[in-house]
Every structure is written in C-alpha cells, then in structure tokens.
C-alpha cells in the first residue's frame, strides 16, 4: 500500500514550515518550531502566535494519528495507544500501536515504524498479522510527541526512544532516520538514548553505520544457530548468523556503541544448555560490547508454545554470565493490556503459527 500524499503536522521540515509561513515575520518560524518540538504543544496552544495563524495551522496541518483507544496497565506504569492512520486512497485506515513506559522520574516510548510487519516471525503478534504499509517520518515523530505529552502530564520527561514497536525499522530506514534526526535535533533527546532494532537486515545495519548519530543497535536474535533461527526468524535464510555478526562488528567498530541481542525465551526451544553455549560464543565475538536482553515470551493468540518459566529464565542468565556473556532479564510490562514485547497487533487478526 502506498503512503499518504497529504502532509500532516509532523511531516513538514523546518524549511517547509518556512514556506508555509511566507509573508509572516521571520521569527514566527522559530516560535512555531519551538512550540511544536520543545514545548510539545499543539498549534492552538502556542500562545505567542497570533490567534488567526494558530487557527490556520490547526486547520491546514491536521494530526496523522486518530486515537482509537488508550489502555493503561493495572499498575498504571504502562500506557498503550491504538491509533488509526489516514488511508492513502480513501476508505478506512491502517492501525498501529505505541507504548509509553513510565518510571518514577522518566519515561520511555516504544514506537512503531510500519503498520504490521513482513518479517513473519511466528512468535510475534505483529508478524502474525502481516504487513500493511510503511509509516511516514511525521507519523513516527507524532507517536513520540503525543506519548511525550501524556508523560509530561504525569510529571515525567521522555528520556528514551526505542524503535521496537510494530514493523521492521531497517525496512523503512529512510523515514525512521528522518524521525530519529527530528527526535534528536528538535525534541532534544541524546542519540545515546535512542535504540533502533532489527531482526537482522544486514544492508540496514551497514547503512545505519554510515549515518552520523551514534544510536544504539538492538538485534532480535532469539536463536544462535542457523537451523533454529531459520524457523524462528525466516529472514535468517537471506542473512545468516555469521554474516549478521560481521555486520554488528562493523557497526561497533564505527560507532563504539553497545549492541544488544534480544532473546525471547521459549520453553524447550531456545532455553537449553546448548543455546546458552552458542549464544555466549556469539557474544564473545563482539566482546565486550554485546549485551543480551532475555525476555520471557509473552503470550500471543497465534503461537501455541509457552514462554520459559521465570525461574529458568534467571538460571539461563546465570549460565550466560558463567560463560562470560553479559545478560539482563527484562521485566515484562503491560502484558495485561497486550503492550509487552511481541504482543502489538493493533487489533488485527493473527494466523496460527507452528512451533519451531
């Protein structure tokens, strides 16, 4: 499906806003840009702009994301936004989800880069639902702004952005990078607090290596041998593990940033002694700059296999550390509202996957 043709509020660059404000005093552009990206304000609330100009901007530059539902976890520390997107050619639009994770003094936003995903990882609800379309730069940036507005209302400032929502960021890298530059340069987040994930799209990793900001790289690995990973992460057939590790090493050499391996722990599938040994060996190739995030598999309706029991997850972590690998068990957040890793499907139906 093609992208929308009409620009929305956060699609426009500073230069394009300058053209839109032709005839206005030059300082209006600074006021508008600061209001949108530093104050995180809607045009109607940028009070140093004239009322007529605010009304015009609000009318001519609508928001791209129409809020369908906002779900809050039982503990109140996770918020999931379900958005509907404008349809490029009319009719009903696609849907995406964004997750806001609240901590005592800060917040993290998990953003989507595509509506759906074409990578077809069977244990991930997004992959089960299939791919609809790429998101625009403005649609990605707007997720950050609107989630940040919610965080601000609760007294927190967003300090971290992770591209770990719906979609494969490296398959939409031009727009993901455009959003990253806006998040860094205009909203003001450090590149070291921005993480871009991938299931292992090697050309994307190599392209990211040559881009200027030292963002963090996260690889959704989940298996450390090609036979198993071919079943769990089908793109591995095109980009096998040895080549993927080489690309990660190149990234490390240029960026000097830590590479994280995401590992969804699945009972009897990738939580065995041999899995720990194979994973530790991969980490040693990138030592000391590789880190493993162990994620107890979250339930999805299309995947029949259960996650590893938490006690065994911690035992797997301990074994990795004995073998010389750095590992952390990631706390699941928002499982009760289907907001945890691998659960985002934007209400779309999923198809039943076979056990690896």
């Amino acid at each position: 499906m093609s992208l929308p043709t009409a620009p929305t509020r956060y699609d426009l660059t500073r230069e394009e806003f300058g053209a839109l404000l032709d005839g206005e005093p030059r300082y209006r552009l600074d006021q508008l840009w600061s209001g949108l990206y530093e104050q995180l304000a809607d045009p109607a609330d940028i009070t140093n702009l004239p009322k007529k100009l605010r009304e015009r901007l609000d009318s001519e530059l609508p928001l791209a994301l129409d809020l369908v539902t906002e779900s809050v976890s039982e503990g109140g520390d996770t918020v999931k936004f379900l958005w509907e997107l404008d349809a490029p050619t009319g009719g009903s639009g696609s849907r995406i989800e964004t997750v806001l994770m609240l901590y005592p003094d800060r917040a993290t936003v998990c953003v989507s880069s595509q509506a759906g995903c074409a990578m077809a990882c069977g244990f991930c609800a997004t992959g089960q639902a299939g791919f609809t379309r790429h998101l625009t730069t403005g649609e990605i940036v707007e997720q950050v702004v609107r989630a940040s507005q919610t965080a601000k209302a609760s007294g927190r400032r967003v300090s971290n952005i992770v591209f770990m929502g719906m979609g494969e960021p490296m398959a939409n890298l031009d727009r993901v990078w455009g959003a990253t530059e806006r998040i860094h340069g205009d909203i003001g987040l450090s590149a070291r607090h921005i993480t871009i994930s991938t299931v292992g799209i090697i050309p994307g990793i190599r392209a990211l290596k040559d881009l200027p900001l030292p963002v963090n790289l996260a690889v959704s690995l989940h298996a450390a041998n090609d036979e198993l990973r071919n079943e769990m992460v089908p793109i591995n057939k095109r980009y096998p593990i040895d080549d993927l590790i080489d690309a990660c090493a190149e990234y490390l050499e240029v960026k000097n940033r830590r590479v994280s391996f995401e590992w969804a722990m699945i009972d009897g599938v990738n939580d065995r002694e041999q899995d720990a040994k194979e994973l530790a060996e991969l980490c040693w190739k990138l030592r000391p700059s590789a880190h493993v995030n162990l994620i107890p598999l979250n339930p999805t309706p299309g995947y029949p296999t259960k996650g590893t029991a938490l006690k065994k997850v911690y035992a797997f972590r301990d074994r990795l550390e004995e073998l010389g690998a750095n590992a952390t068990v990631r706390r699941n957040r928002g499982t009760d509202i289907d907001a945890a890793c691998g659960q985002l499907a934007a209400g779309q139906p999923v198809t039943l996957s076979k056990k690896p």
Side-chain angles (χ1 to χ4, degrees):
M1 182 180 287
S2 61
L3 295 168
T5 55
T8 54
R9 188 169 301 167
Y10 296 97
D11 276 315
L12 270 64
T13 64
R14 185 182 175 94
E15 291 72 22
E16 289 168 334
F17 264 116
L20 187 68
L21 294 175
D22 186 41
E24 296 285 343
R26 294 180 64 181
Y27 60 82
R28 292 292 184 219
L29 177 57
D30 290 334
Q31 292 174 328
L32 174 60
W33 200 254
S34 173
L36 289 175
Y37 291 100
E38 294 175 18
Q39 302 169 35
L40 303 174
D42 294 322
D45 298 323
I46 305 175
T47 54
N48 56 355
L49 295 178
K51 183 178 179 180
K52 286 187 177 180
L53 178 58
R54 283 182 272 157
E55 291 173 348
R56 176 193 158 204
L57 292 169
D58 201 48
S59 174
E60 293 183 7
L61 293 172
L63 293 168
L65 310 179
D66 183 18
L67 182 62
V68 179
T69 59
E70 180 177 318
S71 305
V72 181
S73 65
E74 184 176 352
D77 61 1
T78 304
V79 183
K80 183 176 75 170
F81 306 91
L82 173 60
W83 314 104
E84 185 159 13
L85 310 175
D86 288 337
T89 55
S92 60
S94 304
R95 291 184 172 188
I96 62 165
E97 291 174 321
T98 308
V99 179
L100 172 65
M101 292 165 279
L102 299 169
Y103 300 90
D105 59 349
R106 60 185 175 85
T108 294
V109 183
C110 178
V111 299
S112 294
S113 56
Q114 297 176 316
C117 183
M119 296 299 104
C121 301
F123 54 90
C124 174
T126 312
Q128 295 164 19
F131 173 75
T132 304
R133 71 166 173 89
H134 297 305
L135 300 189
T136 67
T137 292
E139 288 168 338
I140 297 170
V141 171
E142 187 176 326
Q143 291 176 69
V144 175
V145 170
R146 295 181 70 178
S148 297
Q149 290 171 339
T150 297
K152 186 176 181 181
S154 69
R156 278 90 154 186
R157 177 183 180 275
V158 168
S159 60
N160 294 79
I161 303 297
V162 293
F163 283 87
M164 295 182 178
M166 298 178 67
E168 165 53 54
M170 296 300 185
N172 191 21
L173 185 56
D174 286 348
R175 299 173 190 90
V176 164
W177 191 253
T180 298
E181 290 184 315
R182 195 84 58 82
I183 292 164
H184 169 73
D186 299 310
I187 295 177
L189 268 71
S190 166
R192 295 177 182 271
H193 292 274
I194 299 172
T195 299
I196 298 179
S197 68
T198 179
V199 295
I201 308 297
I202 291 175
I205 295 173
R206 290 187 167 138
L208 190 66
K209 164 181 67 70
D210 296 326
L211 293 170
L213 299 176
V215 299
N216 300 302
L217 175 66
V219 177
S220 296
L221 193 63
H222 309 305
N225 68 75
D226 285 323
E227 182 179 2
L228 178 57
R229 196 165 193 268
N230 285 346
E231 296 182 41
M232 295 182 66
V233 184
I235 199 67
N236 190 74
K237 297 172 186 176
R238 184 182 302 178
Y239 304 118
I241 289 175
D242 285 347
D243 295 341
L244 175 58
I245 297 302
D246 287 345
C248 291
E250 293 171 18
Y251 189 86
L252 283 170
E253 184 177 357
V254 172
K255 298 295 188 182
N256 195 29
R257 299 296 294 141
R258 188 176 77 175
V259 171
S260 296
F261 290 138
E262 309 299 304
W263 192 275
M265 298 206 61
I266 306 171
D267 186 44
V269 175
N270 64 352
D271 59 358
R272 303 157 297 176
E273 171 68 13
Q274 70 186 67
D275 299 304
K277 289 180 177 178
E278 290 169 350
L279 176 54
E281 288 176 6
L282 291 185
C283 290
W284 267 93
K285 294 180 181 180
L286 301 177
R287 190 175 172 84
S289 299
H291 187 89
V292 179
N293 284 322
L294 301 175
I295 310 162
L297 181 75
N298 294 301
T300 64
Y303 192 71
T305 305
K306 65 180 181 178
T308 302
L310 193 58
K311 182 178 180 180
K312 191 174 179 181
V313 173
Y314 279 102
F316 191 86
R317 180 206 60 186
D318 294 344
R319 183 60 179 140
L320 285 175
E321 292 182 344
E322 288 172 2
L323 294 166
N326 297 316
T328 301
V329 177
R330 184 187 294 174
R331 175 191 166 200
N332 279 344
R333 297 170 60 105
T335 305
D336 58 320
I337 55 171
D338 291 336
C341 291
Q343 290 188 313
L344 302 185
Q348 300 178 68
V350 297
T351 55
L352 188 65
S353 300
K354 295 180 180 179
K355 176 180 176 178

